[in-house]
Amino acid sequence: MTEDNGSVLTLSVDIGGSGVKAMVLDIIGQPLTERGRLETPHPATPEVVIGAIAVLAASQGEYHRVSVGFPGVVRCGVTETAVNLDASWLNFDLARALSEQLNKPVKVINDADMQGLGAIKGKGVELVITLGTGFGSALFVDGKLVPNMEMGHHPFRKGETYEEQLGRAALEKIGDKKWNKRLQKAIASLQRLFNYDCLYIGGGEAVRVNMNLPLNVKLIPNITGLLGGIALWKE
């Protein structure tokens, strides 16, 4: 398989706290199938999540390789943290286990990093945040990824982290109006911290964003997390 082989198809997988999604992409990242989705099993252990991915993969047709976005720190295919899944993910070799399950080569990356790869323009300082079960983040400088920047677990305000203030549990507790006010404060704080050229906001709860955004802040669709799967193979 080489990058100039237009017949190479990629199964792109996004593991989230509430759903596992998958679709097949062509060599330039265009979707070839409808996105498949299953509820994230609970408890979300590696075995049952891999089983869910296998079910989705079987429904997606032909593919030659697999890209996975995972909600935690990932190093060399090994998941080192998984705050919104199960403790059994700690130091789990997901790339190897899934490759053995599907009999295909597999690459795994943090889910916000993969979302960013599908969104960025590759110029200047670009920051990506994802709003879902948790709070994901990814930073790029001239298209180069700063990997595993788990900003969601850093202090934000009132003694709480970005995830505690802006994750789905907080949204359901305080409602859209207060949540949007918090997000507005976070955007201002992140601008001062990173002096980014562009901030992209994605994730399942991005549809709840209701404010006048600065010109350098853009909403991106949730499917972007899957479309970033091609970039993993361009090294």
Side-chain angles (χ1 to χ4, degrees):
M1 272 186 318
T2 60
E3 283 300 317
D4 59 0
N5 184 348
S7 64
V8 175
L9 305 179
T10 303
L11 178 72
S12 190
V13 179
D14 182 14
I15 301 172
S18 60
V20 181
K21 289 83 70 178
M23 69 190 314
V24 174
L25 309 174
D26 68 13
I27 197 67
I28 61 172
Q30 294 298 312
L32 298 178
T33 62
E34 292 293 322
R35 186 190 75 158
R37 184 185 188 279
L38 292 174
E39 293 291 318
T40 301
H42 292 286
T45 62
E47 292 74 20
V48 295
V49 171
I50 287 172
I53 294 171
V55 171
L56 288 169
S59 71
Q60 289 289 310
E62 183 183 13
Y63 60 93
H64 306 101
R65 61 191 187 185
V66 184
S67 298
V68 181
F70 180 84
V73 173
V74 180
R75 203 181 313 274
C76 300
V78 176
T79 59
E80 295 187 357
T81 68
V83 174
N84 294 307
L85 294 177
D86 188 81
S88 54
W89 283 99
L90 272 62
N91 299 313
F92 180 78
D93 195 337
L94 176 56
R96 184 176 69 179
L98 188 58
S99 181
E100 291 174 353
Q101 173 74 33
L102 300 179
N103 197 29
K104 305 288 184 184
V106 175
K107 288 191 176 185
V108 184
I109 193 172
N110 172 267
D111 57 347
D113 291 352
M114 194 157 95
Q115 182 118 4
L117 290 170
I120 63 168
K121 304 300 182 186
K123 184 178 180 180
V125 177
E126 296 176 282
L127 180 66
V128 181
I129 61 173
T130 58
L131 306 170
T133 303
F135 181 101
S137 58
L139 180 66
F140 299 83
V141 180
D142 291 331
K144 300 289 187 180
L145 171 66
V146 180
N148 294 317
M149 190 188 69
E150 287 285 81
M151 191 174 63
H153 306 299
H154 284 245
F156 170 39
R157 58 189 293 269
K158 296 187 176 181
E160 292 188 329
T161 64
Y162 285 91
E163 183 157 310
E164 288 170 326
Q165 286 265 304
L166 291 165
R168 183 171 294 127
L171 172 58
E172 293 174 350
K173 180 179 179 180
I174 66 174
D176 284 36
K177 187 175 181 180
K178 287 185 177 180
W179 182 82
N180 271 274
K181 286 183 178 180
R182 286 184 182 180
L183 179 60
Q184 195 166 32
K185 292 176 181 178
I187 290 171
S189 176
L190 295 172
Q191 174 68 72
R192 290 191 297 269
L193 178 61
F194 292 102
N195 293 295
Y196 52 71
D197 294 291
C198 190
L199 169 66
Y200 303 92
I201 302 177
E205 300 300 348
V207 295
R208 309 278 284 274
V209 175
N210 183 20
M211 69 181 80
N212 291 322
L213 294 169
L215 293 178
N216 64 342
V217 178
K218 306 180 187 304
L219 294 175
I220 54 176
N222 201 24
I223 197 173
T224 310
L226 293 171
L227 300 182
I230 291 298
L232 294 187
W233 298 92
K234 292 183 178 178
E235 299 177 354

